[in-house]
Amino acid sequence: MGSSQLIPLQAVERQIRLKTRAKGRQPDPQSIAEVAAALGEAPRRRDLLIEHLHCIQDTYGQLAERHLVALAREMKIGMAEVFEVATFYHHFDVVRDAEAEVPVKLTVRVCESLSCELAGARDLLTRRVTMLHKQIYVYPLQLDAMQKRSFLRALIEQTVDVSTHARFYNTITSNCTNELAKVAGLGWHYSWVLTGYSPQRLYELKLIPGATFEAAQQRALLTEPLASWNAMETPEFDHALLTELRSRSS
């Protein structure tokens, strides 16, 4: 008969505590509450991980590490899986906790895909000059810092809305010009429909600077420079265009 060995009760309790102790970083109560609030009543299923990451990003403008840890706890999945998915997709902004102290209200992303590259300003402007023989006017708008921020934010919000709620293009009631006028809050005017009159209207609203409208129109004429830049590659064209516009507006 083999000999038996007595093990102290305290040692057994210690082994149990070690085995049941949670491993890795643990979420704090505040982060758990914030993640739960962002997800609301949505199911915590594993296949909804990307949707839940979007909810947190939309709520806080970024994905702080502490929120990812709390999300793993909330969904009862491994932290490695949450971090792997969050860092794989470019549209998620994963930041360290020290960098997430100031909430991000707006993130602007610049598309660098081939389709956006092909639809750049170079082709849009130079083809109207060289193929359609049009006169091209580019008017600088006179906006203060607050107006610029408000207009940009409203324009981005409208763009996001179109991406989720499709609208039909209408050459009279929903063309490029009157949609911009709506975003800018400029009110109704016939020039937003008869778009050839829109520069004159913007001048009357004191949004286009100039001693007279004729002087402003002459300064905005870019036909000859655009024709001379036709052979440039896109980066050189963009640089030349911006340099010319800045010199004219200064």
Side-chain angles (χ1 to χ4, degrees):
M1 182 175 179
S3 62
S4 60
Q5 181 180 2
L6 295 176
I7 301 176
L9 180 59
Q10 293 83 355
V12 175
E13 292 176 342
R14 181 173 178 276
Q15 288 295 324
I16 293 175
R17 286 198 300 270
L18 289 175
K19 289 183 178 181
T20 57
R21 182 181 299 172
K23 299 179 180 179
R25 178 174 173 178
Q26 300 304 304
D28 61 273
Q30 179 181 347
S31 299
I32 293 176
E34 290 174 350
V35 166
L39 301 186
E41 299 298 324
R44 272 46 170 178
R45 299 198 315 268
R46 189 173 194 165
D47 61 305
L48 295 177
L49 174 57
I50 293 179
E51 286 79 357
H52 292 343
L53 289 169
H54 274 295
C55 287
I56 299 172
Q57 170 106 5
D58 292 343
T59 302
Y60 301 104
Q62 56 198 359
L63 296 176
E65 288 182 348
R66 64 186 183 87
H67 284 150
L68 296 181
V69 175
L71 179 62
R73 166 70 69 83
E74 188 76 10
M75 298 185 67
K76 297 181 174 60
I77 59 178
M79 285 188 291
E81 182 177 352
V82 175
F83 275 84
E84 182 178 351
V85 173
T87 55
F88 178 81
Y89 293 97
H90 296 300
H91 282 269
F92 290 134
D93 299 310
V94 180
V95 298
R96 295 184 180 278
D97 294 336
E99 300 170 352
E101 294 179 357
V102 180
V104 177
K105 294 183 179 180
L106 179 66
T107 300
V108 178
R109 299 187 182 278
V110 178
C111 179
E112 298 176 346
S113 68
L114 180 61
S115 58
C116 291
E117 179 70 19
L118 292 174
R122 176 183 175 277
D123 291 339
L124 176 65
L125 295 174
T126 58
R127 288 180 181 179
R128 290 180 65 83
V129 173
T130 59
M131 297 181 181
L132 301 178
H133 306 291
K134 298 285 188 180
Q135 297 289 348
I136 302 296
Y137 299 88
V138 179
Y139 294 91
L141 294 182
Q142 190 169 261
L143 304 173
D144 59 33
M146 181 62 72
Q147 288 175 313
K148 291 176 183 178
R149 285 194 296 269
S150 298
F151 179 73
L152 177 60
R153 186 177 187 88
L155 185 60
I156 292 173
E157 289 174 349
Q158 283 294 313
T159 303
V160 172
D161 182 68
V162 170
S163 71
T164 55
H165 301 84
R167 297 200 299 255
F168 287 103
Y169 180 89
N170 188 298
T171 54
I172 297 178
T173 61
S174 184
N175 59 44
C176 299
T177 302
N178 55 48
E179 285 300 325
L180 287 173
K182 293 174 188 176
V183 169
L186 299 180
W188 163 253
H189 192 264
Y190 69 85
S191 63
W192 311 143
V193 178
L194 304 175
T195 56
Y197 296 97
S198 57
Q200 175 75 48
R201 177 57 178 168
L202 291 172
Y203 178 80
E204 293 170 355
L205 294 173
K206 302 187 184 305
L207 294 176
I208 293 178
T212 64
F213 175 69
E214 289 72 21
Q217 189 177 42
Q218 187 60 37
R219 186 175 62 175
L221 183 62
L222 279 179
T223 305
E224 290 185 8
L226 288 172
S228 68
W229 301 335
N230 186 46
M232 289 182 177
E233 295 296 329
T234 299
E236 290 77 17
F237 176 88
D238 291 343
H239 177 74
L241 177 61
L242 289 174
T243 301
E244 181 69 20
L245 292 175
R246 285 165 179 162
S247 66
R248 295 188 180 205
S249 61
S250 60

